[in-house]
């Protein structure tokens, strides 16, 4: 699918991977609908790109349905969805005060996994009504997993479980939506230079950086955006989770 002239929804668009993706797709001629909790940062990006901006919680069904209805009204049906909204706080299973509150686990899974599925379901239902292109394609959905889905570190049980869920839903979603001409893929980034990663302590960042084979640096958000564009434009990418990690295999700590 070529993005020129088609509507792309990007969640988590106010910063990091989402912002880079939105900027790249706009540069390829896509029309944009941007979703994030940070309404102020979102509004600035929307002014720069001429996008529809919707500030909402991606895991809130009612708020997301209202935002999606606004996108349909102002931008029409989407052909692309890129789910970048996510959080990555650390949470041990238990500590000196006893078990970690269950609410901490639920919150991480809610944003990263439920939020991804929530917008996937809304976008897929709308994409199925698009006219097919010459290959019968009606839409492309790209979700964001993580290498933590495979090698979660100590303190990442909730995050690894959520991103593991994103990775696991990729193939069954692709199989289910294939008859509608909708592709589904996911990217599993390693250590990228985003606010989420920069929130980690310097010690943790340096420890992870030490085991990255090559290139020995943070990934750049525009490199993630480049992979998104590659998935969108290559019709053979479907049902796959693509690691984007410089051969990083996370250690336990």
């Amino acid at each position: 699918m070529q993005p020129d002239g088609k509507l792309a929804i990007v969640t988590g668009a106010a910063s990091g991977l989402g912002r880079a993706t939105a900027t790249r797709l706009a540069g390829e001629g896509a029309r944009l609908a941007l979703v994030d909790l940070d309404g102020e940062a979102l509004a600035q990006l929307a002014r720069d790109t001429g996008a529809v901006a919707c500030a909402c919680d991606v895991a809130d069904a009612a708020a997301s349905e209202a935002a999606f209805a606004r996108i349909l009204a102002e931008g029409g049906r989407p052909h692309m969805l890129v789910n970048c909204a996510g959080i990555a706080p650390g949470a041990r299973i238990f500590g000196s005060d006893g078990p970690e509150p269950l609410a901490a686990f639920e919150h991480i899974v809610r944003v990263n996994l439920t939020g991804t599925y929530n917008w996937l379901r809304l976008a897929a239902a709308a994409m199925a009504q698009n006219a097919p292109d010459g290959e019968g394609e009606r839409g492309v959905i790209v979700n964001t997993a993580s290498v933590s889905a495979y090698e979660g570190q100590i303190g990442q049980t909730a995050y690894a479980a959520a991103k593991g869920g994103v990775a696991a839903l990729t193939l069954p979603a692709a199989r289910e939506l294939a008859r509608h001409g909708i592709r589904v893929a996911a990217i599993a980034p390693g250590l990228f230079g985003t606010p989420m990663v920069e929130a980690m302590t310097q010690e943790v960042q340096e420890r992870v950086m030490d085991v990255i084979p090559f290139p020995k640096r943070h990934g750049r958000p525009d490199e993630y955006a480049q992979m998104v564009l590659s998935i969108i434009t290559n019709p053979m990418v479907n049902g796959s989770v693509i690691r984007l990690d410089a051969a990083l295999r996370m250690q336990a700590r």
Side-chain angles (χ1 to χ4, degrees):
M1 175 174 292
Q2 296 303 316
D4 187 32
K6 298 181 178 69
L7 181 68
I9 299 174
V10 181
T11 73
S15 64
L17 303 180
R19 188 180 185 89
T21 298
T23 302
R24 181 62 182 268
L25 291 177
E28 296 293 325
R31 297 179 296 112
L32 296 176
L34 309 177
V35 181
D36 201 289
L37 264 181
D38 187 345
E40 185 175 340
L42 200 65
Q44 179 60 55
L45 180 59
R47 285 192 292 270
D48 293 342
T49 59
V52 178
C54 298
C56 81
D57 175 355
V58 293
D60 183 308
S64 294
E65 287 163 13
F68 198 83
R70 183 177 159 220
I71 290 169
L72 291 177
E74 297 186 20
R77 288 192 297 270
H79 283 80
M80 296 159 281
L81 167 68
V82 186
N83 273 314
C84 293
I87 57 173
R92 296 285 184 124
I93 296 169
F94 71 91
S96 58
D97 295 330
E100 180 75 13
L102 185 59
F105 182 95
E106 291 176 330
H107 179 58
I108 294 167
V109 172
R110 179 179 179 275
V111 175
N112 290 290
L113 179 56
T114 304
T116 293
Y117 180 81
N118 188 26
W119 279 81
L120 179 150
R121 72 184 179 93
L122 296 173
M127 288 174 181
Q129 300 177 57
N130 288 334
D133 66 11
E135 291 207 357
E137 189 167 65
R138 291 184 170 91
V140 184
I141 296 171
V142 182
N143 296 323
T144 305
S146 167
V147 295
S148 295
Y150 308 103
E151 301 114 30
Q153 296 185 298
I154 292 170
Q156 287 190 326
T157 47
Y159 183 69
K163 291 302 189 177
V166 173
L169 68 77
T170 303
L171 181 58
R175 286 171 164 171
E176 181 176 341
L177 298 177
R179 67 190 181 96
H180 300 289
I182 300 169
R183 292 188 287 120
V184 183
I187 301 171
L191 199 66
F192 271 66
T194 66
M196 185 185 296
V197 168
E198 289 162 0
M200 298 177 182
T201 66
Q202 190 63 32
E203 179 188 357
V204 169
Q205 291 189 56
E206 289 174 359
R207 195 161 56 231
V208 174
M209 194 79 67
D210 189 54
V211 297
I212 297 176
F214 183 82
K216 216 169 187 61
R217 59 169 173 81
H218 286 164
R220 295 188 289 265
D222 64 286
E223 292 169 327
Y224 174 94
Q226 181 180 346
M227 181 59 72
V228 170
L229 183 62
S230 296
I231 291 170
I232 289 170
T233 57
N234 190 331
M236 288 301 289
V237 181
N238 194 19
S240 299
V241 182
I242 301 170
R243 293 185 66 129
L244 194 64
D245 59 16
L248 169 66
R249 297 299 179 266
M250 300 278 276
Q251 305 301 303
R253 295 178 182 274

